Amino acid sequence: MYQMPNPETSPLVVLDAANIAYNYAESLNPGLQSQVGRQPNPHGIRLAIDYFLKNNCRVQAVVPISWYQLKPRPSDHYHLHNRSRQDSDAKMVTDDVEELRNLRQQGFLVACPPGDDDDAYSL
C-alpha cells in the first residue's frame, strides 16, 4: 500500500482508468471480451496506480460516475429487491467492485460529472 507523494515535489499523473480497466481485461483474455461483452477489470487500474506511486508520482484515475454505482452482493437483499428505486446502486457492469471501492476510499479515483467524457479529463 502506497501513500500519495508530496505535491510540492512530485508530478501529477492523470489516468484514463476506464480504458486501462478494459485493456487490462482484454490482455488477460484476448478475444474473449468480444464474445461475452466487454467487462472492465479494475485490477489493471490498481497496477497502474501502484507503478506511478512507486516512481514518486501523484496519481488520480478518472472514471465515469456510473462506475460508482456498484453492483449489489448476493447477500444485499435491499438492493437486490429494490433495483428500480433511485437509492439502489445496482448498475455496475463489473463484478470487481471491491477493487474500485478500495481505490475510491484511498482517494485515487475521481469521477467525471454525468454526461462528460471521461477521456477528456485524462488528456
Side-chain angles (χ1 to χ4, degrees), residues 8 20 23 25 37 51 60 65 69 72 92 101-102 108 114:
E8 295 178 13
I20 291 170
N23 287 316
Y51 171 82
Q60 291 289 278
I65 193 131
Q69 298 171 324
M92 189 60 191
R101 284 182 179 152
N102 290 336
F108 293 117

Side-chain angles (χ1 to χ4, degrees), residues 27-94:
S27 72
L28 294 176
N29 295 303
L32 182 64
Q33 294 294 312
S34 61
Q35 295 172 5
V36 294
R38 290 188 74 192
Q39 296 293 313
N41 186 330
H43 186 64
I45 301 168
R46 166 57 70 193
L47 293 174
I49 288 171
D50 286 349
Y51 171 82
F52 286 107
L53 290 174
K54 285 179 191 175
N55 289 285
N56 199 39
C57 296
R58 292 176 295 135
V59 184
Q60 291 289 278
V62 180
V63 296
I65 193 131
S66 62
W67 283 34
Y68 283 174
Q69 298 171 324
L70 302 174
K71 187 174 183 178
R73 295 177 177 163
S75 61
D76 189 349
H77 298 292
Y78 175 79
H79 290 297
L80 287 172
H81 296 292
N82 294 289
R83 291 178 187 219
S84 61
R85 289 180 51 115
Q86 190 170 0
D87 60 343
S88 177
D89 60 0
K91 298 177 184 172
M92 189 60 191
V93 295
T94 180

